[in-house]
Amino acid sequence: MENLQIEEIRIKIDDEDDSDQLFGNLDVNLKIIQDNYDVDIVQRQDEIILRGKEAAKAEAVIDELTAIIRSGEILDTQKVNYVISLREKGLSYRESNINKDVICFTHRGKAVRPKTIGQTSYARSIKAHDIVFGIGPAGTGKTYIAVALAINALKNKDVAKIILARPAVEAGERLGFLPGDLQEKVDPYLRPLYDALYDILGRESALRLKEREVIEVVPLAYMRGRTLDNSFIILDEAQNTTREQMKMFLTRLGFGSKAVVTGDITQIDLPKGKKSGLIDAYRILDGVTGIEFCFLKDSDVVRHPLVRRIINAYDQKTELKDQEEEEQDLEQEQEQE
């Protein structure tokens, strides 16, 4: 017979705790906990009352959130959802030491640090290896973390230059209809890289470094024929490179340089019949000494909570479609026989 026992747990709210952060705007954080667990949450002056079959699980989450606030971190809904996802896997936000891995500070003084275990592993891999591939869905911070580490390396004088590159997939006839010179035509494809630079360095500082060519933001095609020494090089949207472009990029690496390649293999925009250079690189280079492949997952998404659900929904539909196509191919083969 199913256990229908209802637990009741009372949590004292100390004066030192920031209850506004813990509860969230209009109690949004408490609502997230209620949505994920079989528990009702009641606020009574200086305490929270948890009632339900999963009151103990909700208590563990609230303990984690309280510890985050006490450590000086800002609590938001994304972090609440992430703490809950970790608890479901038997992991702890505090024990993962995520909040200790500060990469750098933005021009506004905000600490840039990994927000998930996957991001922490990714950042540590970049520090430890000369070539790192960061592969994962949209919103997992692949590019932003790489840019932050590049800026940190530049400030520490570990490198003399930062080069950010992206393939311009539609760089053929369609660009010809856009106004301006070639640089102005490809700039829209490079906008996400500019956004990361501006957010961390500030627009004026980033533009000054760009004018001095300490930072370059270029289409991938501009990399051909160069040897890049003492540089931190990032190739973004690498799923849209061809095999030839990927090989060209990886062989630009010079002495004292580090390269990070980021991409999402579920969003390939190459023409039909063209194989992704990112997928090809994993097939060829996995296991090569000095090269590391990091795979981020939907649990590492740090955008709106809906983004994670969208990614999951697409993955499920894609798997179903692939299965149906395989069955159709098999039926056709059997008919031909």
Side-chain angles (χ1 to χ4, degrees):
M1 184 176 178
E2 187 180 357
N3 183 12
L4 299 176
Q5 183 178 0
I6 303 298
E7 291 184 88
E8 179 172 299
I9 298 174
R10 294 174 180 263
I11 301 175
K12 204 78 172 173
I13 303 297
D14 297 330
D15 292 338
E16 64 188 63
D17 290 341
D18 189 339
S19 59
D20 289 341
Q21 268 205 75
L22 179 61
F23 298 159
N25 185 35
L26 300 177
D27 299 335
V28 64
N29 294 340
L30 300 184
K31 290 174 183 175
I32 291 172
I33 296 171
Q34 288 186 134
D35 288 343
N36 282 274
Y37 297 107
D38 185 0
V39 66
D40 290 321
I41 303 177
V42 180
Q43 297 170 237
R44 293 280 178 83
Q45 295 180 343
D46 61 345
E47 69 176 0
I48 298 175
I49 303 172
L50 308 176
R51 295 194 187 103
K53 290 187 288 184
E54 295 185 306
K57 291 183 179 180
E59 180 189 26
V61 170
I62 290 173
D63 285 344
E64 288 256 35
L65 300 180
T66 302
I68 289 171
I69 294 169
R70 287 178 178 173
S71 71
E73 286 192 64
I74 301 298
L75 191 65
D76 54 22
T77 56
Q78 185 275 326
K79 201 164 290 182
V80 174
N81 279 302
Y82 185 60
V83 167
I84 291 171
S85 70
L86 285 180
R87 301 294 307 185
E88 290 173 355
K89 299 173 184 176
L91 301 173
S92 166
Y93 183 90
R94 285 174 289 181
E95 292 172 2
S96 67
N97 291 323
I98 293 168
N99 60 331
K100 294 182 181 178
D101 289 313
V102 175
I103 297 172
C104 65
F105 291 88
T106 70
H107 69 290
R108 296 188 180 91
K110 180 183 176 182
V112 177
R113 53 166 63 92
K115 295 182 178 180
T116 70
I117 291 175
Q119 288 185 357
T120 300
S121 177
Y122 173 53
R124 290 174 181 172
S125 292
I126 293 173
K127 292 176 183 178
H129 298 84
D130 287 338
I131 297 180
V132 173
F133 288 79
I135 301 172
T140 50
K142 303 181 297 294
T143 304
Y144 193 86
I145 287 174
V147 171
L149 285 163
I151 291 169
N152 187 55
L154 182 68
K155 288 182 176 180
N156 291 336
K157 299 184 178 178
D158 296 328
V159 296
K161 193 181 190 72
I162 295 174
I163 300 173
L164 311 176
R166 252 189 171 212
V169 175
E170 297 178 349
E173 294 179 353
R174 297 187 186 184
L175 281 176
F177 292 101
L178 297 175
D181 58 23
L182 182 58
Q183 185 63 50
E184 291 172 325
K185 290 178 181 182
V186 298
D187 268 354
Y189 294 97
L190 306 173
R191 179 53 52 189
L193 297 174
Y194 282 116
D195 289 344
L197 282 176
Y198 295 162
D199 189 56
I200 297 171
L201 288 173
R203 183 182 176 85
E204 291 183 6
S205 295
L207 289 176
R208 279 198 301 269
L209 290 171
K210 189 171 180 290
E211 286 173 7
R212 290 163 45 198
E213 296 188 348
V214 174
I215 295 178
E216 288 185 45
V217 186
V218 296
L220 178 59
Y222 285 24
M223 305 285 285
R224 190 174 298 279
R226 302 179 65 181
T227 300
L228 305 170
D229 295 326
N230 301 314
S231 302
F232 197 119
I233 314 152
I234 299 171
L235 173 59
D236 193 34
E237 295 291 318
Q239 76 275 6
N240 289 328
T241 61
T242 63
R243 294 175 174 181
E244 296 77 15
Q245 287 174 327
M246 178 62 75
K247 181 180 177 182
M248 180 273 290
F249 171 80
L250 294 173
T251 52
R252 300 307 93 200
L253 198 68
F255 293 108
S257 290
K258 186 183 290 284
V260 179
V261 179
T262 70
D264 177 3
I265 57 176
T266 68
Q267 297 193 51
I268 298 172
D269 301 317
L270 289 170
K272 192 172 182 180
K274 283 281 188 180
K275 187 167 183 179
S276 168
L278 181 58
I279 294 174
D280 195 55
Y282 178 63
R283 180 181 61 83
I284 295 171
L285 300 175
D286 185 34
V288 173
T289 302
I291 298 177
E292 184 79 359
F293 284 84
C294 294
F295 292 89
L296 292 100
K297 304 175 182 177
D298 64 287
S299 58
D300 296 306
V301 171
V302 291
R303 291 181 183 169
H304 193 288
L306 273 175
V307 174
R308 186 180 304 171
R309 297 174 205 160
I310 290 168
I311 291 169
N312 283 333
Y314 269 97
D315 287 346
Q316 290 171 7
K317 292 293 184 182
T318 301
E319 288 176 7
L320 183 61
K321 183 180 178 183
D322 290 343
Q323 185 179 352
E324 290 174 350
E325 289 178 352
E326 287 177 6
E327 291 174 354
Q328 289 174 1
D329 291 341
L330 184 60
E331 288 176 2
Q332 289 177 359
E333 289 176 5
Q334 291 173 344
E335 288 175 0
Q336 290 173 359
E337 291 176 357

